[in-house]
């Protein structure tokens, strides 16, 4: 499991922001990015839905389609080099 390995700044819950990622990435992610002074280009989405990942990429962010922990570790090794050997 990657939960203890990843540093997560914030979890966003659809019901809290009253939007789905696929409806409006700006409405869903925008307030969080604003709080941290970031843009979509600074953000990384890890999601189990390939379509949602593509929507996020189209919005300007980076996205990784999560299918299993080993593949995700490999995909994001350049972002978190400390995971490369895990």
């Amino acid at each position: 499991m990657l939960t203890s390995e990843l540093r997560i700044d914030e979890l966003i819950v659809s019901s809290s922001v009253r939007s789905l990622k696929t409806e409006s990435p700006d409405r869903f992610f925008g307030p969080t990015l604003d709080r941290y002074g970031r843009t979509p280009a600074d953000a990384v989405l890890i999601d189990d839905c390939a379509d949602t990942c593509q929507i996020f990429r189209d919005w300007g962010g980076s996205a990784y389609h999560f299918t299993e922990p080993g593949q995700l570790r490999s995909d994001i090794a350049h972002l978190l080099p400390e995971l490369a050997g895990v």
Side-chain angles (χ1 to χ4, degrees), residues 22-65:
T22 55
E23 289 176 339
S24 173
D26 188 53
R27 190 172 47 227
F28 189 87
F29 298 104
T32 298
L33 294 178
D34 289 346
R35 268 193 298 285
Y36 290 98
R38 301 294 182 184
T39 67
D42 300 315
V44 175
L45 172 70
I46 299 170
D47 200 281
D48 63 349
C49 177
D51 291 341
T52 300
C53 289
Q54 188 57 54
I55 289 167
F56 194 78
R57 287 185 202 105
D58 292 344
W59 186 57
S62 296
Y64 296 93
H65 180 209

Side-chain angles (χ1 to χ4, degrees), residues 60-83:
S62 296
Y64 296 93
H65 180 209
F66 177 79
T67 55
E68 58 105 288
Q71 183 61 48
L72 181 60
R73 284 185 188 98
S74 175
D75 290 345
I76 65 174
H78 68 284
L79 296 174
L80 300 168
E82 63 270 20
L83 291 183

